Amino acid sequence: MFSKILFIAFLTLINNCNIQAQSKTVSFDQVNEINRPKLVIGLVVDQMRWDYLYRYYNRYSKGGFKRLMHQGYNFQNTFIPYVPAVTAAGHTCIYTGSVPAVHGMVGNDWVENNTGKIMYCAQDDSVKSVGSISLEGKMSPKNMQVTTVADELRLATNFRSRTFGIALKDRGGIFPAGHSGNAAYWFEDASGNWITSTYYMQALPKWVSDFNNNRLTDKYMQNDWNLLYPASTYIQSTADNKMYEKTLPHETTRTFPHTYKSLIGKSYYTFRINPFGNTLTLDFATSLIKSESLGKTADTDMLCISLSSTDYIGHRYGPNSMEIEDTYLRLDKDIEKFLNTLDAQVGKGNYLLFLTADHGAPNNPAFMQENKLPGGNLNAKSMIPDMNQMLKKQFGRDSLVKKIYEYQVYLNNALIDSLKLNRAAIKTTLVQFLLSKPEVQQAFDYSEFDKVIMPARIKEMFAKGYFRNRSGEVQFILKPQYHDVDWAGTEHGTWYPYDTHIPLIFFGWNINPGKTYREVYMTDIAPTLSALLNIQQPGGCIGTVLTEVVR
């Protein structure tokens, strides 16, 4: 009798297990369904130092930077792992997960060593401007050697996903959108309009022409740049009239308000040096989302936005200015408005957004000295005549140095080869000349790179930034807090943390709030996006997936 009861109990247990297993069964289609957001937004704030998240934190609204920081995942120690820390290299790295040694974007400009031709990063003489008769549209991504996340998303969906890049700077919109992007748009100084090139299309879409015809640029310029809040409430309230701030070309004072009315229809370049340049960019992004119905199809779309005015303002006034403080307080409100637009157009939880920067910026050297802190400058271009004069005395020929870009010396290779001069001796002479400068901490010949003594981490950054046919042959490193700046505004490009410590926040679709202080890198953004989207990593990617946001 007892054994019969045990047998019945055993059958009951087996039956219950089968019922539970059946209740948990997921269909084959459900298991294999690829889950992606409707829209991916990349938001790159040009020249945003990491500490700007906290320097002005108490004045930010709940819906802008604070919303991203508290509802997103915040990587507090994100660094650029290469030099030079500049716009073209940064935007390319963010979306490729690669470094200049692989993707080829060694700077905003360089010399093609095999031809001696000076090259702008996005220059493409085979294309024409669209929406303009100027030369500002002769641009494309052809100089970039690898694919981007946008390219890989297009490939993964057989080009059904649509990808776009926009920025006031051509390079800020072109490289993120990738080689196969549907379009990149940038700002033309001559007209104040958004333009593109024949690389993407033969004529502007109607919505872009309509946007340009609305003349929002003129409307923003009609309003002078006044402070958002009372001057006495600003952290930098004592810094509105410093000699280390540059005046605008048409102004005689460095103080608020800054006027733009007189430039309408004449000089739109100055509009870039205005926080409303960021506002206009996000206005254009909003119009693009609505007009192109981004996030409304079965396949994930991608919009890469770069906010350039922060860089122009930073270069002119420096990080310790009321101008840069007011810019970020206004940008905070612009971001809040843009997030609300995304909520309404795409839906909360339906879009994945990340915020980062292409590089940071140092404090102005005059500001540092004013406050008894170490710092100084070295005008690199001014050294070229002295270098050439010195080389002429030793080697009998002038003009052996062609250019200096990003703390690299480019030689006149064609002339050196034609005269059969001793290249190694020329480079040794230049290294000795640079080391004699009190502002220079280190200088070396890249052909002798294996013999250079410096901390391994720093040395690796220079190795990652070197691309043989586009890099200079002699590299020099300035002392900490020293920069190639003429005692006004700021510059960037070095390996130091003020140039390479950047913000990184992931927000929205499938992102749980949190933060980490572990060290991560700009190269990790692209593989993380690839993992989240279930697509292949870009071709030159060397980064690793940030597992905190991939669950």
Side-chain angles (χ1 to χ4, degrees):
M1 181 68 181
F2 180 71
S3 61
K4 185 177 181 180
I5 293 172
L6 284 177
F7 180 71
I8 293 171
F10 176 74
L11 289 177
T12 303
L13 177 63
I14 293 295
N15 187 52
N16 287 338
C17 288
N18 286 334
I19 292 172
Q20 290 178 16
Q22 289 172 11
S23 68
K24 293 182 179 180
T25 299
V26 180
S27 71
F28 180 81
D29 288 339
Q30 287 177 304
V31 170
N32 290 276
E33 181 180 354
I34 297 176
N35 187 22
R36 292 185 180 128
K38 292 183 177 180
L39 178 63
V40 179
I41 299 284
L43 197 57
V44 179
V45 184
D46 203 319
Q47 203 190 109
M48 184 176 182
R49 293 164 52 117
W50 166 81
D51 64 326
Y52 288 161
L53 286 175
Y54 297 96
R55 187 183 294 192
Y56 314 124
Y57 180 87
N58 291 338
R59 296 295 287 273
Y60 289 150
S61 66
K62 292 182 179 179
F65 284 117
K66 283 184 179 179
R67 181 181 174 189
L68 296 177
M69 293 166 72
H70 295 302
Q71 296 181 22
Y73 201 96
N74 192 350
F75 291 88
Q76 299 276 41
N77 273 311
T78 305
F79 286 88
I80 298 171
Y82 60 82
V83 285
V86 294
T87 299
H91 283 80
T92 305
C93 177
I94 289 166
Y95 289 92
T96 65
S98 190
V99 291
V102 180
H103 62 58
M105 309 309 293
V106 298
N108 298 330
D109 302 272
W110 61 78
V111 177
E112 293 281 348
N113 288 321
N114 61 341
T115 65
K117 181 180 179 181
I118 295 173
M119 179 68 71
Y120 172 65
C121 59
Q123 180 179 335
D124 186 350
D125 295 334
S126 70
V127 301
K128 297 179 181 179
S129 302
V130 173
S132 167
I133 58 173
S134 75
L135 301 180
E136 292 186 39
K138 293 178 71 63
M139 307 290 169
S140 84
K142 79 167 189 175
N143 292 323
M144 181 171 61
Q145 304 290 301
V146 297
T147 60
T148 69
V149 172
D151 288 321
E152 298 299 336
L153 178 61
R154 296 264 287 159
L155 286 166
T157 62
N158 196 25
F159 302 98
R160 292 188 300 272
S161 290
R162 294 162 299 155
T163 62
F164 298 86
I166 60 173
L168 296 182
K169 295 181 181 180
D170 48 55
R171 56 189 181 271
I174 288 173
F175 300 123
H179 295 277
S180 65
N182 293 80
Y185 298 102
W186 53 95
F187 185 78
E188 183 189 44
D189 294 331
S191 64
N193 287 334
W194 292 90
I195 66 170
T196 187
S197 80
T198 52
Y199 180 88
Y200 302 100
M201 63 190 73
Q202 296 301 310
L204 290 177
K206 183 178 182 301
W207 71 265
V208 177
S209 297
D210 290 344
F211 187 95
N212 288 335
N213 292 335
N214 284 335
R215 303 308 305 164
L216 275 181
T217 309
D218 294 351
K219 293 175 184 177
Y220 284 130
M221 292 179 73
Q222 192 68 32
N223 299 318
D224 294 335
W225 181 8
N226 290 282
L227 288 170
L228 190 59
Y229 301 109
S232 61
T233 66
Y234 282 68
I235 295 171
Q236 311 291 163
S237 60
T238 60
D240 191 31
N241 190 22
K242 295 290 186 178
M243 293 300 293
Y244 45 78
E245 297 180 318
K246 296 178 184 177
T247 59
L248 291 172
H250 65 290
E251 289 186 333
T252 57
T253 176
R254 303 175 182 86
T255 58
F256 282 96
H258 297 294
T259 62
Y260 297 86
K261 292 188 187 78
S262 63
L263 303 176
I264 295 175
K266 300 176 183 177
S267 174
Y268 287 103
Y269 169 77
T270 309
F271 178 69
R272 296 172 182 259
I273 317 168
N274 182 329
F276 297 115
N278 294 328
T279 310
L280 180 76
T281 303
L282 291 175
D283 287 340
F284 189 70
T286 298
S287 185
L288 189 153
I289 291 169
K290 294 177 179 178
S291 301
E292 299 286 355
S293 300
L294 295 191
K296 300 294 186 182
T297 65
D299 296 289
T300 300
D301 295 322
M302 188 170 189
L303 176 57
C304 310
I305 306 167
S306 179
L307 301 171
S308 308
S309 286
T310 42
D311 184 71
Y312 290 108
I313 294 166
H315 276 298
R316 187 158 293 268
Y317 299 104
N320 305 99
S321 62
M322 291 183 75
E323 283 81 3
I324 204 69
E325 181 175 357
D326 193 69
T327 294
Y328 277 89
L329 296 179
R330 290 180 179 277
L331 177 57
D332 176 64
K333 292 184 177 296
D334 287 338
I335 289 175
E336 179 178 20
K337 180 182 176 182
F338 185 62
L339 292 177
N340 291 338
T341 297
L342 291 173
D343 292 343
Q345 290 293 315
V346 187
K348 286 185 178 181
N350 289 330
Y351 61 91
L352 171 65
L353 180 146
F354 69 91
L355 178 139
T356 190
D358 55 344
H359 56 76
N363 297 312
N364 178 271
F367 167 86
M368 297 291 283
Q369 293 183 6
E370 180 182 67
N371 290 281
K372 301 179 180 179
L373 294 165
N377 78 325
L378 176 68
N379 189 327
K381 290 181 181 179
S382 69
M383 294 192 298
I384 295 177
D386 292 338
M387 287 178 170
N388 279 324
Q389 187 63 28
M390 174 192 64
L391 293 174
K392 182 179 180 181
K393 289 180 180 179
Q394 186 168 341
F395 298 96
R397 190 61 185 261
D398 197 3
S399 304
L400 297 182
V401 172
K402 191 177 186 72
K403 283 286 183 180
I404 295 179
Y405 285 131
E406 313 302 351
Y407 307 102
Q408 293 182 354
V409 182
Y410 288 84
L411 300 179
N412 189 336
N413 290 310
L415 182 60
I416 292 170
D417 291 341
S418 68
L419 298 174
K420 298 182 180 180
L421 299 178
N422 188 329
R423 181 185 304 276
I426 291 172
K427 291 188 288 185
T428 298
T429 302
L430 288 172
V431 169
Q432 292 171 348
F433 171 87
L434 288 164
L435 289 174
S436 71
K437 296 289 182 181
E439 302 89 353
V440 174
Q441 186 175 71
Q442 177 67 284
F444 57 85
D445 170 3
Y446 268 109
S447 66
E448 301 287 328
F449 190 59
D450 60 322
K451 300 177 184 178
V452 177
I453 299 175
M454 66 173 69
R457 172 173 171 166
I458 301 172
K459 190 171 183 178
E460 183 179 354
M461 293 176 74
F462 284 94
K464 288 178 177 177
Y466 180 78
F467 189 89
R468 181 177 57 84
N469 192 45
R470 295 177 178 177
S471 293
E473 298 189 67
V474 173
Q475 175 81 56
F476 60 99
I477 306 170
L478 299 185
K479 292 178 178 179
Q481 287 81 234
Y482 278 71
H483 255 273
D484 182 10
V485 61
D486 57 357
W487 293 105
T490 192
E491 255 304 334
H492 50 82
T494 74
W495 72 265
Y496 297 110
Y498 42 73
D499 280 351
T500 57
H501 189 188
I502 56 173
L504 175 59
I505 301 173
F506 284 85
F507 169 86
W509 177 85
N510 278 8
I511 302 298
N512 292 319
K515 65 180 176 181
T516 182
Y517 290 91
R518 79 177 180 95
E519 189 167 301
V520 303
Y521 301 98
M522 179 189 274
T523 44
D524 299 332
I525 298 172
T528 302
L529 288 171
S530 299
L532 287 166
L533 297 173
N534 291 292
I535 61 176
Q536 181 59 273
Q537 293 182 4
C541 183
I542 66 168
T544 58
V545 175
L546 300 172
T547 56
E548 290 89 342
V549 297
V550 180
R551 309 201 175 206

